Amino acid sequence: MERYLIKDLKKWQNSARRKPLMLYGARQVGKTWLVRDFASSSYNDLIELNFQTDNALKAIFDKDISPAYIIHQLKLYLNKDIKPERTLLFFDEIQESQRAMDSLKSFNDKGREYNIIAAGSFLGVMTGRRPVGQTDQLTLYPMSFCEFLEAIGRGNLADAVNQCDTRALSGACDLLESLLKQYYFVGGMPSAVGEYINSGDLDKVREIQNGLITTYKGDFSKHINDSRTEPKIRMLWDSISLHLAKENKKFIYRNVKSGARAAEFENAMQWLKDTGLTYKINKVETPKLPLKMYFKNDFFKLFMIDIGLLGAQAEVKPVHILSAGTDIVDDMNGMLAEQFVCQELKAANVSPLFFWGREGSTAEIDFIIQGDKDVVPIEVKSSKHTKSQSLKVYMNEYKPKYAVRSSLKNFGYIKNKFDGNLYSIPLYLISKIEKLLG
């Protein structure tokens, strides 16, 4: 499986200002596999240090975190030579050792010749210090649609998408729609994609997805010290598909628990967000730059880390998505299409990401993003039926330079009576929105 983040890792390796790298990402998205794959092509040797399973490593770092001492002790302990530019040091599950985390600052100050990547599934929720200013940072998300295409042997299609070859893609729209539906079910979790490649058995894929959900629920209790927060995290997690299936996808706490208030679930919500298991998309009522100055913290949508896991939680069966003529995808009010767009934009680092709505009105735009000089509204449709009043309302009021409608229709410019340009961007191309709009 090719992960596109490996290109960023190579840029990091060759950077003259390279710092120790912290690799973020939720559990099971493939961080360890990515580092090993990167090391196999870019270094002579990979040394993996797992602070969750090896207490002897913690003892080394507990005594002294100077680079000279650590490198010397690791050579003795591992009986290996460590050559600065030829060896990649991988500090895995680093959140288990505060001293190992602190050593990253020491390596940045006095040991930049060493190549160090630190990773951990719970870096975002660790209670100790993180040397943010002394490290480079990257985040790995579930496999994108293009990475999925590469993995299942559709590299030519992936290349056409990455190159934004809209002419070629327009002739393959039926094939792309079919593959998109496959991705809707399988999702981007590497173990699920691997099973789909190896067996093609969607029941086994669903077993893996359910297993991942069970694992995550186990983590709720394992990595949370406050016994009062853990059940609230479960309630929030279990309610995601119920909220997204509604026409108004805004997260409402009283739908989780009768009489619930935001303050009661604040810590639980933050934990889910910081672990990368959910994407919290806040509302903006005034679409002006910069968007972060205008968002409403109490109004938001909550998406899951992966579309395949969302389908598993909602118990969506293969026949519901893959069979010709089924309309359940539309019946769920575009839940899967919006999850897909959110996931693709996140993986493409299109940021910041919000949605627009006006107080006292039903008009709502699924996503808005921040361009260089303007705010770009994105309306999402699950099929080729794209009529909607909300985008008309938005364009009439704010006259955006660009507006986007993403659906199963081909790429193109849509004539309209409002000022600005309305573009049709197929769902499978939405991750390339910044390139397409120039």
Side-chain angles (χ1 to χ4, degrees):
M1 298 183 191
E2 181 179 353
R3 303 305 308 270
Y4 291 164
L5 198 68
I6 201 168
K7 298 175 184 177
D8 296 284
L9 292 178
K10 290 178 179 178
K11 289 180 183 178
W12 166 79
Q13 179 189 16
N14 297 320
S15 173
R17 300 180 179 180
R18 184 188 64 223
K19 303 175 182 179
L21 174 67
M22 291 183 68
L23 180 61
Y24 288 84
R27 190 174 178 185
Q28 300 293 330
V29 295
K31 297 184 297 297
T32 299
W33 185 94
L34 174 65
V35 172
R36 289 172 179 169
D37 185 51
F38 170 54
S40 68
S41 62
S42 302
Y43 294 88
N44 290 72
D45 193 19
L46 168 66
I47 293 180
E48 294 187 41
L49 309 175
N50 192 308
F51 291 93
Q52 190 171 56
T53 60
D54 194 340
N55 289 325
L57 288 173
K58 294 181 182 179
I60 293 174
F61 285 78
D62 285 344
K63 188 172 183 180
D64 189 337
I65 58 171
S66 66
Y69 175 81
I70 290 173
I71 294 300
H72 179 66
Q73 290 298 311
L74 289 177
K75 287 179 179 180
L76 295 177
Y77 177 60
L78 301 170
N79 193 29
K80 281 189 173 184
D81 194 15
I82 300 176
K83 298 178 180 179
E85 295 300 328
R86 296 184 179 183
T87 302
L88 177 62
L89 292 169
F90 179 31
F91 293 6
D92 201 7
E93 301 299 348
I94 193 173
Q95 77 278 349
E96 300 295 328
S97 171
Q98 181 61 60
R99 292 284 284 174
M101 184 70 73
D102 293 340
S103 76
L104 298 180
K105 180 181 184 302
S106 298
F107 275 100
N108 182 52
D109 292 338
K110 300 179 181 179
R112 281 206 184 184
E113 68 271 24
Y114 293 98
N115 290 242
I116 299 174
I117 296 178
S121 299
F122 298 94
L123 284 175
V125 293
M126 69 173 294
T127 56
R129 301 176 299 275
R130 281 178 285 167
V132 177
Q134 290 78 38
T135 57
D136 293 320
Q137 299 177 50
L138 290 173
T139 300
L140 182 66
Y141 295 97
M143 297 175 69
S144 67
F145 180 56
C146 277
E147 289 176 319
F148 173 77
L149 291 177
E150 299 264 14
I152 64 172
R154 292 287 185 173
N156 289 337
L157 273 178
D159 290 342
V161 172
N162 285 321
Q163 295 165 13
C164 296
D165 189 347
T166 56
R167 183 177 180 181
L169 292 170
S170 65
C173 57
D174 290 341
L175 174 60
L176 281 162
E177 181 178 343
S178 174
L179 294 170
L180 188 65
K181 288 182 177 180
Q182 291 175 39
Y183 182 79
Y184 276 11
F185 184 87
V186 177
M189 299 305 289
S191 56
V193 176
E195 180 59 48
Y196 185 60
I197 294 169
N198 293 330
S199 71
D201 190 328
L202 294 177
D203 290 333
K204 290 183 178 179
V205 170
R206 180 49 52 84
E207 287 178 10
I208 288 176
Q209 291 167 339
N210 287 333
L212 288 172
I213 290 174
T214 300
T215 297
Y216 289 149
K217 287 185 175 181
D219 289 336
F220 297 164
S221 56
K222 185 186 299 183
H223 294 276
I224 298 172
N225 296 325
D226 185 0
S227 60
R228 295 172 297 180
T229 301
E230 186 266 336
K232 295 173 184 176
I233 292 175
R234 287 179 178 269
M235 284 189 280
L236 292 176
W237 174 262
D238 290 340
S239 72
I240 294 176
S241 60
L242 299 177
H243 277 91
L244 292 181
K246 296 179 181 295
E247 184 174 357
N248 181 359
K249 295 174 173 57
K250 182 172 74 74
F251 199 90
I252 301 174
Y253 284 102
R254 66 176 178 269
N255 290 341
V256 178
K257 177 186 174 184
S258 178
R261 296 179 178 272
E264 180 184 355
F265 284 86
E266 183 177 0
N267 290 339
M269 181 68 72
Q270 192 65 40
W271 192 92
L272 280 172
K273 178 177 177 291
D274 289 344
T275 55
L277 293 178
T278 60
Y279 308 129
K280 185 182 178 185
I281 309 300
N282 288 92
K283 177 182 177 181
V284 168
E285 291 183 357
T286 305
K288 294 182 179 180
L289 300 178
L291 287 172
K292 284 189 175 181
M293 297 292 292
Y294 298 97
F295 80 90
K296 301 285 186 178
N297 194 47
D298 294 335
F299 295 88
F300 61 90
K301 300 177 185 178
L302 197 64
F303 292 89
M304 197 169 281
I305 180 177
D306 175 66
I307 192 169
L309 297 184
L310 177 65
Q313 186 189 78
E315 298 185 4
V316 177
K317 298 184 181 299
V319 66
H320 296 155
I321 298 176
L322 302 177
S323 295
T326 181
D327 58 359
I328 192 170
V329 173
D330 288 332
D331 289 344
M332 292 186 293
N333 292 306
M335 175 181 78
L336 295 179
E338 281 196 45
Q339 168 72 38
F340 174 79
V341 170
C342 177
Q343 197 170 321
E344 288 286 286
L345 294 177
K346 281 287 185 179
N349 291 314
V350 177
S351 178
L353 186 61
F354 298 94
F355 77 97
W356 173 83
R358 196 168 51 186
E359 188 175 358
S361 171
T362 58
E364 183 177 293
I365 300 298
D366 301 312
F367 299 101
I368 57 174
I369 62 173
Q370 186 169 298
D372 291 335
K373 298 180 180 180
D374 200 7
V375 174
V376 181
I378 305 172
E379 184 182 57
V380 179
K381 293 296 180 182
S382 59
S383 66
K384 294 179 181 178
H385 303 292
T386 57
K387 289 185 178 180
S388 174
Q389 188 65 27
S390 292
L391 191 57
K392 293 180 181 178
V393 170
Y394 184 97
M395 294 187 72
N396 188 40
E397 183 167 348
Y398 297 106
K399 308 294 191 296
K401 180 179 179 182
Y402 297 110
V404 170
R405 180 177 288 148
S406 188
S407 68
L408 293 179
K409 284 187 175 181
N410 284 327
F411 177 82
Y413 172 74
I414 304 171
K415 292 183 179 180
N416 66 93
K417 63 181 180 180
F418 307 106
D419 293 334
N421 299 297
L422 176 57
Y423 284 91
S424 170
I425 297 183
L427 289 166
Y428 53 78
L429 266 176
I430 195 62
S431 65
K432 309 302 174 186
I433 183 172
E434 293 179 327
K435 184 176 180 179
L436 288 167
L437 297 183

